[in-house]
Amino acid sequence: MGYKVVVAGATGNVGREMLNILAERQFPVDEIAALASRKSLGTEVSFGDKTLTTKDLDTFDFTGWDIALFAVGSEATKKYAPVAAKAGCVVIDNSSLYRYDPDVPLIVPECNADAIHGYKKKNIIANPNCSTAQMVVALKPLHDRAKIKRVVVSTYQSVSGSGKEGIDELWDQTKGMYVPGQEVAPNKFQKQIAFNVIPHIDVFMEDGSTKEEWKMVAETKKIIDPSIKVTATCVRVPVFVGHSEAVNIEFEEPLDEDEAREILRTAPGCLVVDKREDGGYVTPIECVGDFATFISRIRTDSTIENGLNIWVVSDNLRKGAALNAVQIAEVLGNKVLQKADA
């Protein structure tokens, strides 16, 4: 016996990846529905060796369905997620809409799977921001050992984090640099993204930080520990898929790099590639299509007491979005719904 699963936003980058990962991980699906907006209605999408035709999100009846994975953005989620939840279908939402709601659990299964039980208040579970998800996978096992006091993170985020339009703009701008008359002006991004980096993701806030930076702070506190101090600088880089992060960590207790390396080697979701030689680390192009959060460049920061530096890389469409959502569905199946071995 399996689950009746809905994927809303099935024609987008994350929605398609959700379908791929449900099939790859052999999630126990009895029936699956791919939903899209009216403009994408009838589009065909793949689910394993099957082809699904998208149905209309606006008119879909969620009654009798078990789990809905939402990848439709905050505005559409605001309209349709409560409809699904009221019909008895548990919503796992990839947008930012519910992440900071105290009645909605924000979950990264490697870090706080037990928080799943809080879903019953609204029948909704939130998926974290892509840059937060991979960072907390690396931070949680270290925090459990030596308690993290402060984190300073600089991100190098791929254009796929901004959707298909971001990917297209990088591609078209790059080509346009070499073909006279085919230059492409910035549209999705604030400045040229080809051969450039942009220290601006999401909107600016009153304190000078961007909302992406604020998300990393608020979500790390909610997922791991509210006492952790976090400061972030989030940067868009001309990479198609895969987010990278340079993370500086200050602990309350001593933790040397060798022990940290061993902790991370055995931590769920982590894969350590850390050789002090040419190429002995992971870059974003190598993580594409992989489930793991890769950790490299583990070394002591001698400028502070109990300091450590790490380099964290992950496929943002997977661990940062679709994979984490499917893992939440697996936890929901195993710990709560228990209709099948999810």
Side-chain angles (χ1 to χ4, degrees):
M1 192 176 185
Y3 297 94
K4 295 181 69 176
V5 179
V6 176
V7 176
T11 60
N13 289 339
V14 174
R16 289 177 187 271
E17 201 67 16
M18 285 173 170
L19 288 166
N20 290 339
I21 293 169
L22 283 166
E24 283 177 30
R25 292 173 73 89
Q26 298 182 322
F27 187 83
V29 172
D30 262 2
E31 189 176 347
I32 191 157
L35 309 185
S37 62
R38 293 241 167 112
K39 68 178 182 180
S40 301
L41 204 56
T43 302
E44 291 187 339
V45 292
S46 297
F47 173 64
D49 57 2
K50 297 178 183 176
T51 299
L52 308 175
T53 302
T54 55
K55 299 178 180 179
D56 188 359
L57 173 59
D58 195 49
T59 59
F60 188 79
D61 183 1
F62 289 90
T63 305
W65 292 81
D66 299 304
I67 300 169
L69 306 180
F70 267 61
V72 294
S74 293
E75 282 305 308
T77 299
K78 189 174 184 179
K79 181 177 180 181
Y80 298 109
V83 174
K86 189 176 180 181
C89 181
V90 183
V91 173
I92 299 171
D93 175 35
N94 193 61
S95 81
S96 61
L97 184 65
Y98 292 104
R99 290 175 188 157
Y100 317 107
D101 186 327
D103 291 335
V104 174
L106 177 67
I107 292 179
V108 174
E110 295 91 340
C111 301
N112 64 336
D114 287 343
I116 196 87
H117 298 286
Y119 86 95
K120 293 180 181 177
K121 292 178 182 176
K122 289 193 174 177
N123 227 25
I124 296 172
I125 302 164
N127 212 26
N129 188 41
C130 49
S131 51
T132 307
Q134 66 187 66
M135 184 174 75
V136 296
V137 167
L139 293 182
K140 181 62 165 62
L142 300 176
H143 179 69
D144 288 346
R145 160 61 182 82
K147 195 164 192 211
I148 295 171
K149 186 175 177 181
R150 180 172 183 253
V151 173
V152 181
V153 56
S154 296
T155 71
Y156 307 79
Q157 295 179 226
S158 66
V159 295
S160 58
S162 61
K164 183 179 182 297
E165 299 93 338
I167 293 173
D168 290 345
E169 189 158 312
L170 173 57
W171 176 251
D172 293 338
Q173 268 185 4
T174 303
K175 288 191 297 180
M177 297 287 287
Y178 295 101
V179 183
Q182 290 190 20
E183 296 85 359
V184 175
N187 180 38
K188 181 65 179 178
F189 301 112
Q190 304 85 358
K191 297 195 177 191
Q192 176 185 310
I193 185 62
F195 304 99
N196 198 18
V197 298
I198 305 171
H200 178 189
I201 302 177
D202 213 320
V203 297
F204 273 101
M205 304 181 75
E206 284 187 11
D207 67 353
S209 62
T210 63
K211 195 168 184 184
E212 185 82 357
E213 292 156 358
W214 175 83
K215 288 174 189 175
M216 292 194 76
V217 175
E219 293 173 20
T220 301
K221 287 174 175 288
K222 185 172 179 178
I223 294 166
I224 299 183
D225 188 334
S227 69
I228 296 176
K229 294 179 179 178
V230 181
T231 182
T233 301
C234 294
V235 183
R236 190 73 72 190
V237 298
V239 169
F240 285 113
V241 179
H243 287 357
S244 307
E245 297 168 348
V247 188
N248 176 266
I249 313 163
E250 183 180 357
F251 297 94
E252 290 193 2
E253 301 169 30
L255 176 63
D256 66 41
E257 61 189 43
D258 292 328
E259 185 181 356
R261 194 174 289 108
E262 287 310 306
I263 289 169
L264 292 167
R265 281 193 201 283
T266 58
C270 294
L271 187 58
V272 174
V273 179
D274 187 30
K275 297 178 181 178
R276 294 178 177 179
E277 60 187 44
D278 292 353
Y281 41 81
V282 171
T283 59
I285 204 165
E286 297 159 287
C287 78
V288 176
D290 206 296
F291 290 137
T293 294
F294 293 89
I295 303 164
S296 309
R297 303 294 319 281
I298 302 166
R299 63 204 189 279
T300 299
D301 175 7
S302 58
T303 68
I304 54 172
E305 192 173 357
N306 305 329
L308 198 70
N309 288 303
I310 60 174
W311 172 251
V312 182
V313 179
S314 192
D315 182 330
N316 56 293
L317 297 178
R318 291 206 152 208
K319 186 55 193 170
L323 170 61
N324 200 74
V326 173
Q327 287 178 304
I328 292 171
E330 291 170 348
V331 173
L332 184 68
N334 287 329
K335 288 182 175 286
V336 183
L337 303 181
Q338 298 180 332
K339 283 179 67 175
D341 294 327

